Amino acid sequence: MHPLLLMYHDLNRGVRGWHHITRFLALGFGVVAPEAEPFREDWKVQPAQAAFRQRYLDALAVAKAALALPWVDTSRVYTFGEGFGGGLALLATSLCPAVSRCAALNPLPGDFAGLGLPGYDELDAANFAPLCRAEVLLGTCLMDEYAPPKGQAAIYNRLSCPKQWKLYPKYVHERVNFFENQMLCFFKDGIPEA
């Protein structure tokens, strides 16, 4: 039996490559990293609610299927995501009781209400954050305009589970090596020694 990492990606980004996943394999994880259909660049302008809802349903379906894999130790299931994938990781963590740790960097949607897009409020990650019972490591880039820090604060403040919040003042909506190092420690400490 092996621990499972569900790794969700940001909008229009995929797996960085196998080299990126091997660091999790070195910790003994099996990794499930679903690909998603690309979003149009004008997703903020065009009504995309149905597409976002479908991504949420897809993320939950993948989590359910991954948990049924015969090699998965269901007592050691973790999620990780960046940007929109961070929102999906929080969603899967909130709605799948088997998930015990979640790392999310700049989870989007983090403040759709703040974007002035009617009908997107229910898709805000802050709305399902109170359902999360797993430990959460949240990373926020303070210069991020896609996932504004105000929305990240709303997510963090609504989490009632054990949580840590890492702030990166000089970063925008980007990958942060410091967060990735902290995430690996966070996940490694969550795996009991054999």
Side-chain angles (χ1 to χ4, degrees):
M1 300 299 270
H2 297 279
L4 170 68
L5 176 66
L6 296 165
M7 185 165 65
Y8 298 101
H9 308 290
D10 202 353
L11 291 173
N12 297 337
R13 291 187 185 163
V15 177
R16 287 183 243 180
W18 290 110
H19 65 282
H20 180 67
I21 294 176
T22 57
R23 61 200 177 140
F24 300 113
L25 299 175
L27 293 174
F29 285 93
V31 179
V32 173
E35 290 293 328
E37 178 184 343
F39 269 88
R40 292 176 43 159
E41 290 301 317
D42 60 354
W43 65 269
K44 287 185 182 180
V45 178
Q46 299 296 323
Q49 294 165 301
F52 277 110
R53 281 192 190 96
Q54 188 59 52
R55 296 299 191 290
Y56 280 33
L57 294 172
D58 292 347
L60 292 173
V62 166
K64 183 178 178 180
L67 286 167
L69 292 169
W71 51 264
V72 172
D73 177 352
T74 56
S75 68
R76 299 185 293 167
V77 177
Y78 308 108
T79 62
F80 163 57
E82 301 168 319
F84 186 67
L88 296 177
L90 282 167
L91 173 76
T93 302
S94 298
L95 299 180
C96 296
V99 178
S100 58
R101 288 194 177 207
C102 171
L105 178 64
N106 301 317
L108 171 77
D111 186 15
F112 269 158
L115 293 174
L117 301 172
Y120 281 77
D121 297 356
E122 72 274 11
L123 301 177
D124 194 327
N127 289 335
F128 47 82
L131 302 174
C132 186
R133 297 293 170 252
E135 293 181 63
V136 174
L137 173 64
L138 179 67
T140 299
C141 296
L142 296 180
M143 295 173 63
D144 192 336
E145 294 180 6
Y146 288 102
K150 176 183 171 186
Q152 304 297 302
I155 292 168
Y156 185 79
N157 290 333
R158 295 196 70 196
L159 289 167
S160 58
C161 56
K163 57 190 177 181
Q164 299 176 44
W165 195 10
K166 304 297 182 185
L167 303 175
Y168 304 99
K170 296 183 179 183
Y171 288 85
V172 293
H173 193 80
E174 59 187 295
R175 293 174 170 144
V176 180
N177 288 337
F178 298 111
F179 180 80
E180 297 209 4
N181 291 338
Q182 291 166 331
M183 172 191 58
L184 288 173
C185 292
F186 176 67
F187 286 152
K188 182 179 182 297
D189 292 342
I191 300 173
E193 294 295 324

